[in-house]
Amino acid sequence: MAKPQMSRPGETPQAQPPLNPSVRRHLGQNLRNLYADTLSAPVSERLEALIAQLDRPKG
């Protein structure tokens, strides 16, 4: 198995081949399962307050 090419500072990294579609589906499904509970959990009041601050115009 070939080692991935490491780029040096200032060099453009080597392009990696795209993932196989079946691997992408597998990863996507597992990530959705992993984060399903997190996405359905209620947002804390502290986090809501921080989000509200982001929505306010600066000035």
Side-chain angles (χ1 to χ4, degrees), residues 2-49:
K3 291 177 85 175
Q5 291 286 336
M6 300 297 290
S7 61
R8 294 185 183 124
E11 289 184 353
T12 304
Q14 298 274 335
Q16 297 294 318
L19 292 175
N20 180 308
S22 64
V23 172
R24 290 173 52 112
R25 279 190 298 276
H26 177 77
L27 289 172
Q29 184 63 47
N30 282 306
L31 287 170
R32 281 189 291 277
N33 290 339
L34 179 66
Y35 288 106
D37 292 339
T38 302
L39 293 173
S40 63
V43 177
S44 71
E45 289 181 25
R46 173 75 177 133
L47 186 54
E48 282 185 24

